[in-house]
PDB file of all heavy atoms in Angstrom:
ATOM      1  N   ASN L   1     119.140 106.874 104.685  1.00 95.00           N
ATOM      2  CA  ASN L   1     119.940 106.852 103.461  1.00 95.00           C
ATOM      3  C   ASN L   1     120.042 108.246 102.849  1.00 95.00           C
ATOM      4  O   ASN L   1     119.041 108.952 102.729  1.00 95.00           O
ATOM      5  CB  ASN L   1     119.340 105.878 102.447  1.00 95.00           C
ATOM      6  CG  ASN L   1     119.440 104.439 102.929  1.00 95.00           C
ATOM      7  OD1 ASN L   1     120.469 104.033 103.470  1.00 95.00           O
ATOM      8  ND2 ASN L   1     118.385 103.668 102.734  1.00 95.00           N
ATOM      9  N   LYS L   2     121.240 108.621 102.482  1.00 96.00           N
ATOM     10  CA  LYS L   2     121.512 109.977 102.009  1.00 96.00           C
ATOM     11  C   LYS L   2     121.081 110.167 100.561  1.00 96.00           C
ATOM     12  O   LYS L   2     121.409 109.362  99.687  1.00 96.00           O
ATOM     13  CB  LYS L   2     122.998 110.304 102.149  1.00 96.00           C
ATOM     14  CG  LYS L   2     123.329 111.744 101.798  1.00 96.00           C
ATOM     15  CD  LYS L   2     124.815 112.023 101.997  1.00 96.00           C
ATOM     16  CE  LYS L   2     125.150 113.443 101.588  1.00 96.00           C
ATOM     17  NZ  LYS L   2     126.607 113.711 101.714  1.00 96.00           N
ATOM     18  N   ILE L   3     120.338 111.240 100.328  1.00 97.00           N
ATOM     19  CA  ILE L   3     119.924 111.614  98.970  1.00 97.00           C
ATOM     20  C   ILE L   3     121.010 112.486  98.357  1.00 97.00           C
ATOM     21  O   ILE L   3     121.485 113.442  98.971  1.00 97.00           O
ATOM     22  CB  ILE L   3     118.598 112.394  99.001  1.00 97.00           C
ATOM     23  CG1 ILE L   3     117.464 111.513  99.541  1.00 97.00           C
ATOM     24  CG2 ILE L   3     118.245 112.939  97.625  1.00 97.00           C
ATOM     25  CD1 ILE L   3     116.194 112.266  99.854  1.00 97.00           C
ATOM     26  N   SER L   4     121.419 112.153  97.136  1.00 97.00           N
ATOM     27  CA  SER L   4     122.413 112.987  96.463  1.00 97.00           C
ATOM     28  C   SER L   4     121.773 113.939  95.459  1.00 97.00           C
ATOM     29  O   SER L   4     122.311 115.013  95.190  1.00 97.00           O
ATOM     30  CB  SER L   4     123.461 112.126  95.749  1.00 97.00           C
ATOM     31  OG  SER L   4     122.860 111.310  94.762  1.00 97.00           O
ATOM     32  N   ARG L   5     120.578 113.575  94.934  1.00 97.00           N
ATOM     33  CA  ARG L   5     119.975 114.440  93.909  1.00 97.00           C
ATOM     34  C   ARG L   5     118.486 114.135  93.775  1.00 97.00           C
ATOM     35  O   ARG L   5     118.070 112.979  93.885  1.00 97.00           O
ATOM     36  CB  ARG L   5     120.674 114.209  92.567  1.00 97.00           C
ATOM     37  CG  ARG L   5     120.279 115.156  91.459  1.00 97.00           C
ATOM     38  CD  ARG L   5     121.246 115.074  90.285  1.00 97.00           C
ATOM     39  NE  ARG L   5     121.491 113.704  89.852  1.00 97.00           N
ATOM     40  CZ  ARG L   5     121.648 113.331  88.570  1.00 97.00           C
ATOM     41  NH1 ARG L   5     121.602 114.234  87.614  1.00 97.00           N
ATOM     42  NH2 ARG L   5     121.877 112.070  88.261  1.00 97.00           N
ATOM     43  N   LEU L   6     117.704 115.182  93.562  1.00 98.00           N
ATOM     44  CA  LEU L   6     116.308 115.024  93.182  1.00 98.00           C
ATOM     45  C   LEU L   6     116.173 115.351  91.695  1.00 98.00           C
ATOM     46  O   LEU L   6     116.758 116.321  91.215  1.00 98.00           O
ATOM     47  CB  LEU L   6     115.409 115.979  93.980  1.00 98.00           C
ATOM     48  CG  LEU L   6     115.424 115.873  95.500  1.00 98.00           C
ATOM     49  CD1 LEU L   6     114.448 116.877  96.112  1.00 98.00           C
ATOM     50  CD2 LEU L   6     115.095 114.461  95.966  1.00 98.00           C
ATOM     51  N   LEU L   7     115.398 114.550  90.993  1.00 97.00           N
ATOM     52  CA  LEU L   7     115.146 114.758  89.568  1.00 97.00           C
ATOM     53  C   LEU L   7     113.653 114.996  89.382  1.00 97.00           C
ATOM     54  O   LEU L   7     112.852 114.073  89.485  1.00 97.00           O
ATOM     55  CB  LEU L   7     115.617 113.552  88.757  1.00 97.00           C
ATOM     56  CG  LEU L   7     117.119 113.292  88.851  1.00 97.00           C
ATOM     57  CD1 LEU L   7     117.423 111.823  88.914  1.00 97.00           C
ATOM     58  CD2 LEU L   7     117.858 113.942  87.697  1.00 97.00           C
ATOM     59  N   ILE L   8     113.304 116.251  89.141  1.00 97.00           N
ATOM     60  CA  ILE L   8     111.902 116.634  88.970  1.00 97.00           C
ATOM     61  C   ILE L   8     111.581 116.620  87.483  1.00 97.00           C
ATOM     62  O   ILE L   8     112.275 117.239  86.672  1.00 97.00           O
ATOM     63  CB  ILE L   8     111.645 118.030  89.559  1.00 97.00           C
ATOM     64  CG1 ILE L   8     111.857 118.005  91.074  1.00 97.00           C
ATOM     65  CG2 ILE L   8     110.242 118.520  89.227  1.00 97.00           C
ATOM     66  CD1 ILE L   8     111.690 119.348  91.749  1.00 97.00           C
ATOM     67  N   THR L   9     110.531 115.922  87.123  1.00 95.00           N
ATOM     68  CA  THR L   9     110.194 115.794  85.703  1.00 95.00           C
ATOM     69  C   THR L   9     109.211 116.872  85.262  1.00 95.00           C
ATOM     70  O   THR L   9     108.356 117.316  86.031  1.00 95.00           O
ATOM     71  CB  THR L   9     109.598 114.413  85.390  1.00 95.00           C
ATOM     72  OG1 THR L   9     108.475 114.181  86.244  1.00 95.00           O
ATOM     73  CG2 THR L   9     110.632 113.321  85.597  1.00 95.00           C
ATOM     74  N   ALA L  10     109.354 117.257  83.996  1.00 92.00           N
ATOM     75  CA  ALA L  10     108.452 118.211  83.351  1.00 92.00           C
ATOM     76  C   ALA L  10     107.974 117.605  82.041  1.00 92.00           C
ATOM     77  O   ALA L  10     108.735 116.919  81.364  1.00 92.00           O
ATOM     78  CB  ALA L  10     109.177 119.529  83.081  1.00 92.00           C
ATOM     79  N   SER L  11     106.738 117.863  81.696  1.00 87.00           N
ATOM     80  CA  SER L  11     106.232 117.370  80.407  1.00 87.00           C
ATOM     81  C   SER L  11     106.790 118.189  79.250  1.00 87.00           C
ATOM     82  O   SER L  11     106.871 117.712  78.123  1.00 87.00           O
ATOM     83  CB  SER L  11     104.705 117.450  80.387  1.00 87.00           C
ATOM     84  OG  SER L  11     104.289 118.808  80.351  1.00 87.00           O
ATOM     85  N   GLY L  12     107.171 119.434  79.535  1.00 84.00           N
ATOM     86  CA  GLY L  12     107.565 120.353  78.470  1.00 84.00           C
ATOM     87  C   GLY L  12     106.430 121.249  78.036  1.00 84.00           C
ATOM     88  O   GLY L  12     106.638 122.226  77.318  1.00 84.00           O
ATOM     89  N   GLY L  13     105.206 120.914  78.473  1.00 83.00           N
ATOM     90  CA  GLY L  13     104.059 121.767  78.166  1.00 83.00           C
ATOM     91  C   GLY L  13     103.669 121.754  76.700  1.00 83.00           C
ATOM     92  O   GLY L  13     104.209 120.992  75.898  1.00 83.00           O
ATOM     93  N   PRO L  14     102.739 122.616  76.316  1.00 88.00           N
ATOM     94  CA  PRO L  14     102.230 122.611  74.942  1.00 88.00           C
ATOM     95  C   PRO L  14     103.217 123.139  73.910  1.00 88.00           C
ATOM     96  O   PRO L  14     103.012 122.929  72.702  1.00 88.00           O
ATOM     97  CB  PRO L  14     101.002 123.527  75.030  1.00 88.00           C
ATOM     98  CG  PRO L  14     101.297 124.438  76.177  1.00 88.00           C
ATOM     99  CD  PRO L  14     102.071 123.605  77.160  1.00 88.00           C
ATOM    100  N   PHE L  15     104.276 123.827  74.339  1.00 90.00           N
ATOM    101  CA  PHE L  15     105.194 124.454  73.385  1.00 90.00           C
ATOM    102  C   PHE L  15     106.565 123.792  73.369  1.00 90.00           C
ATOM    103  O   PHE L  15     107.538 124.386  72.898  1.00 90.00           O
ATOM    104  CB  PHE L  15     105.342 125.947  73.713  1.00 90.00           C
ATOM    105  CG  PHE L  15     104.046 126.708  73.696  1.00 90.00           C
ATOM    106  CD1 PHE L  15     103.752 127.625  74.692  1.00 90.00           C
ATOM    107  CD2 PHE L  15     103.094 126.490  72.708  1.00 90.00           C
ATOM    108  CE1 PHE L  15     102.562 128.330  74.693  1.00 90.00           C
ATOM    109  CE2 PHE L  15     101.895 127.174  72.692  1.00 90.00           C
ATOM    110  CZ  PHE L  15     101.618 128.105  73.686  1.00 90.00           C
ATOM    111  N   ARG L  16     106.662 122.583  73.865  1.00 90.00           N
ATOM    112  CA  ARG L  16     107.949 121.878  73.879  1.00 90.00           C
ATOM    113  C   ARG L  16     108.519 121.789  72.467  1.00 90.00           C
ATOM    114  O   ARG L  16     107.813 121.433  71.516  1.00 90.00           O
ATOM    115  CB  ARG L  16     107.780 120.471  74.452  1.00 90.00           C
ATOM    116  CG  ARG L  16     109.105 119.701  74.593  1.00 90.00           C
ATOM    117  CD  ARG L  16     108.885 118.362  75.273  1.00 90.00           C
ATOM    118  NE  ARG L  16     108.140 117.442  74.427  1.00 90.00           N
ATOM    119  CZ  ARG L  16     108.703 116.596  73.554  1.00 90.00           C
ATOM    120  NH1 ARG L  16     110.025 116.587  73.399  1.00 90.00           N
ATOM    121  NH2 ARG L  16     107.966 115.766  72.850  1.00 90.00           N
ATOM    122  N   GLY L  17     109.791 122.142  72.351  1.00 90.00           N
ATOM    123  CA  GLY L  17     110.464 122.081  71.052  1.00 90.00           C
ATOM    124  C   GLY L  17     110.425 123.374  70.268  1.00 90.00           C
ATOM    125  O   GLY L  17     111.159 123.543  69.290  1.00 90.00           O
ATOM    126  N   LYS L  18     109.584 124.307  70.696  1.00 91.00           N
ATOM    127  CA  LYS L  18     109.502 125.593  69.997  1.00 91.00           C
ATOM    128  C   LYS L  18     110.588 126.546  70.495  1.00 91.00           C
ATOM    129  O   LYS L  18     111.048 126.443  71.626  1.00 91.00           O
ATOM    130  CB  LYS L  18     108.129 126.230  70.186  1.00 91.00           C
ATOM    131  CG  LYS L  18     106.999 125.472  69.500  1.00 91.00           C
ATOM    132  CD  LYS L  18     105.703 126.246  69.548  1.00 91.00           C
ATOM    133  CE  LYS L  18     104.583 125.480  68.851  1.00 91.00           C
ATOM    134  NZ  LYS L  18     104.838 125.330  67.409  1.00 91.00           N
ATOM    135  N   LYS L  19     110.997 127.473  69.615  1.00 94.00           N
ATOM    136  CA  LYS L  19     111.971 128.488  69.964  1.00 94.00           C
ATOM    137  C   LYS L  19     111.251 129.810  70.222  1.00 94.00           C
ATOM    138  O   LYS L  19     110.072 129.977  69.913  1.00 94.00           O
ATOM    139  CB  LYS L  19     113.001 128.647  68.843  1.00 94.00           C
ATOM    140  CG  LYS L  19     113.826 127.390  68.618  1.00 94.00           C
ATOM    141  CD  LYS L  19     114.610 127.010  69.871  1.00 94.00           C
ATOM    142  CE  LYS L  19     115.434 125.744  69.677  1.00 94.00           C
ATOM    143  NZ  LYS L  19     116.149 125.340  70.912  1.00 94.00           N
ATOM    144  N   LYS L  20     112.010 130.757  70.784  1.00 92.00           N
ATOM    145  CA  LYS L  20     111.403 132.001  71.252  1.00 92.00           C
ATOM    146  C   LYS L  20     110.637 132.724  70.153  1.00 92.00           C
ATOM    147  O   LYS L  20     109.524 133.218  70.378  1.00 92.00           O
ATOM    148  CB  LYS L  20     112.483 132.918  71.836  1.00 92.00           C
ATOM    149  CG  LYS L  20     111.926 134.109  72.585  1.00 92.00           C
ATOM    150  CD  LYS L  20     113.007 134.894  73.310  1.00 92.00           C
ATOM    151  CE  LYS L  20     113.550 134.135  74.493  1.00 92.00           C
ATOM    152  NZ  LYS L  20     114.482 134.949  75.304  1.00 92.00           N
ATOM    153  N   HIS L  21     111.199 132.771  68.943  1.00 92.00           N
ATOM    154  CA  HIS L  21     110.516 133.504  67.865  1.00 92.00           C
ATOM    155  C   HIS L  21     109.181 132.866  67.478  1.00 92.00           C
ATOM    156  O   HIS L  21     108.306 133.534  66.922  1.00 92.00           O
ATOM    157  CB  HIS L  21     111.425 133.620  66.628  1.00 92.00           C
ATOM    158  CG  HIS L  21     111.664 132.312  65.922  1.00 92.00           C
ATOM    159  ND1 HIS L  21     112.670 131.431  66.292  1.00 92.00           N
ATOM    160  CD2 HIS L  21     111.022 131.722  64.876  1.00 92.00           C
ATOM    161  CE1 HIS L  21     112.638 130.371  65.505  1.00 92.00           C
ATOM    162  NE2 HIS L  21     111.646 130.518  64.637  1.00 92.00           N
ATOM    163  N   GLU L  22     109.024 131.585  67.781  1.00 93.00           N
ATOM    164  CA  GLU L  22     107.763 130.900  67.470  1.00 93.00           C
ATOM    165  C   GLU L  22     106.694 131.153  68.523  1.00 93.00           C
ATOM    166  O   GLU L  22     105.527 130.793  68.322  1.00 93.00           O
ATOM    167  CB  GLU L  22     108.004 129.393  67.343  1.00 93.00           C
ATOM    168  CG  GLU L  22     108.958 128.985  66.251  1.00 93.00           C
ATOM    169  CD  GLU L  22     109.224 127.492  66.247  1.00 93.00           C
ATOM    170  OE1 GLU L  22     108.448 126.761  65.598  1.00 93.00           O
ATOM    171  OE2 GLU L  22     110.187 127.050  66.914  1.00 93.00           O
ATOM    172  N   LEU L  23     107.077 131.762  69.630  1.00 92.00           N
ATOM    173  CA  LEU L  23     106.137 131.983  70.727  1.00 92.00           C
ATOM    174  C   LEU L  23     105.628 133.419  70.790  1.00 92.00           C
ATOM    175  O   LEU L  23     104.845 133.761  71.671  1.00 92.00           O
ATOM    176  CB  LEU L  23     106.817 131.634  72.063  1.00 92.00           C
ATOM    177  CG  LEU L  23     107.300 130.191  72.211  1.00 92.00           C
ATOM    178  CD1 LEU L  23     108.046 130.011  73.528  1.00 92.00           C
ATOM    179  CD2 LEU L  23     106.143 129.214  72.119  1.00 92.00           C
ATOM    180  N   THR L  24     106.066 134.244  69.839  1.00 93.00           N
ATOM    181  CA  THR L  24     105.748 135.673  69.877  1.00 93.00           C
ATOM    182  C   THR L  24     104.246 135.941  69.929  1.00 93.00           C
ATOM    183  O   THR L  24     103.774 136.783  70.700  1.00 93.00           O
ATOM    184  CB  THR L  24     106.366 136.397  68.668  1.00 93.00           C
ATOM    185  OG1 THR L  24     107.769 136.140  68.653  1.00 93.00           O
ATOM    186  CG2 THR L  24     106.131 137.898  68.745  1.00 93.00           C
ATOM    187  N   ASP L  25     103.501 135.209  69.122  1.00 93.00           N
ATOM    188  CA  ASP L  25     102.067 135.508  68.995  1.00 93.00           C
ATOM    189  C   ASP L  25     101.179 134.321  69.364  1.00 93.00           C
ATOM    190  O   ASP L  25     100.050 134.216  68.874  1.00 93.00           O
ATOM    191  CB  ASP L  25     101.756 135.958  67.561  1.00 93.00           C
ATOM    192  CG  ASP L  25     102.417 137.278  67.213  1.00 93.00           C
ATOM    193  OD1 ASP L  25     102.307 138.214  68.026  1.00 93.00           O
ATOM    194  OD2 ASP L  25     103.051 137.367  66.150  1.00 93.00           O
ATOM    195  N   VAL L  26     101.662 133.434  70.233  1.00 93.00           N
ATOM    196  CA  VAL L  26     100.815 132.293  70.619  1.00 93.00           C
ATOM    197  C   VAL L  26      99.598 132.798  71.393  1.00 93.00           C
ATOM    198  O   VAL L  26      99.665 133.785  72.130  1.00 93.00           O
ATOM    199  CB  VAL L  26     101.586 131.256  71.448  1.00 93.00           C
ATOM    200  CG1 VAL L  26     102.691 130.625  70.630  1.00 93.00           C
ATOM    201  CG2 VAL L  26     102.129 131.851  72.736  1.00 93.00           C
ATOM    202  N   SER L  27      98.499 132.114  71.238  1.00 92.00           N
ATOM    203  CA  SER L  27      97.246 132.542  71.859  1.00 92.00           C
ATOM    204  C   SER L  27      97.075 131.919  73.230  1.00 92.00           C
ATOM    205  O   SER L  27      97.745 130.936  73.584  1.00 92.00           O
ATOM    206  CB  SER L  27      96.058 132.148  70.979  1.00 92.00           C
ATOM    207  OG  SER L  27      95.920 130.727  70.951  1.00 92.00           O
ATOM    208  N   VAL L  28      96.167 132.480  74.001  1.00 90.00           N
ATOM    209  CA  VAL L  28      95.803 131.897  75.294  1.00 90.00           C
ATOM    210  C   VAL L  28      95.291 130.474  75.092  1.00 90.00           C
ATOM    211  O   VAL L  28      95.643 129.554  75.838  1.00 90.00           O
ATOM    212  CB  VAL L  28      94.728 132.759  75.993  1.00 90.00           C
ATOM    213  CG1 VAL L  28      94.163 132.038  77.213  1.00 90.00           C
ATOM    214  CG2 VAL L  28      95.302 134.114  76.399  1.00 90.00           C
ATOM    215  N   GLU L  29      94.477 130.297  74.069  1.00 93.00           N
ATOM    216  CA  GLU L  29      93.895 128.975  73.808  1.00 93.00           C
ATOM    217  C   GLU L  29      94.978 127.938  73.521  1.00 93.00           C
ATOM    218  O   GLU L  29      94.896 126.788  73.985  1.00 93.00           O
ATOM    219  CB  GLU L  29      92.927 129.060  72.631  1.00 93.00           C
ATOM    220  CG  GLU L  29      91.654 129.855  72.918  1.00 93.00           C
ATOM    221  CD  GLU L  29      91.870 131.377  72.984  1.00 93.00           C
ATOM    222  OE1 GLU L  29      92.900 131.863  72.439  1.00 93.00           O
ATOM    223  OE2 GLU L  29      91.026 132.063  73.589  1.00 93.00           O
ATOM    224  N   ASP L  30      96.012 128.339  72.764  1.00 88.00           N
ATOM    225  CA  ASP L  30      97.113 127.417  72.480  1.00 88.00           C
ATOM    226  C   ASP L  30      97.882 127.074  73.752  1.00 88.00           C
ATOM    227  O   ASP L  30      98.267 125.918  73.973  1.00 88.00           O
ATOM    228  CB  ASP L  30      98.076 128.040  71.460  1.00 88.00           C
ATOM    229  CG  ASP L  30      97.486 128.098  70.059  1.00 88.00           C
ATOM    230  OD1 ASP L  30      96.581 127.293  69.764  1.00 88.00           O
ATOM    231  OD2 ASP L  30      97.920 128.956  69.275  1.00 88.00           O
TER     232      ASP L  30
END
């Protein structure tokens, strides 16, 4: 059977929903 598409899921990680300016000073621990 022919596959037309693979859909790989991501959780979004710890910073899901944040914008670039909010990530400027995030810590390693975060």
Side-chain angles (χ1 to χ4, degrees):
N1 293 318
K2 185 178 178 183
I3 296 169
S4 61
R5 187 166 50 143
L6 302 181
L7 298 141
I8 295 177
T9 55
S11 69
F15 302 136
R16 184 175 69 90
K18 292 188 180 295
K19 296 299 179 183
K20 191 172 289 187
H21 69 274
E22 299 176 88
L23 300 176
T24 304
D25 294 312
V26 296
S27 68
V28 170
E29 291 74 20
D30 288 336

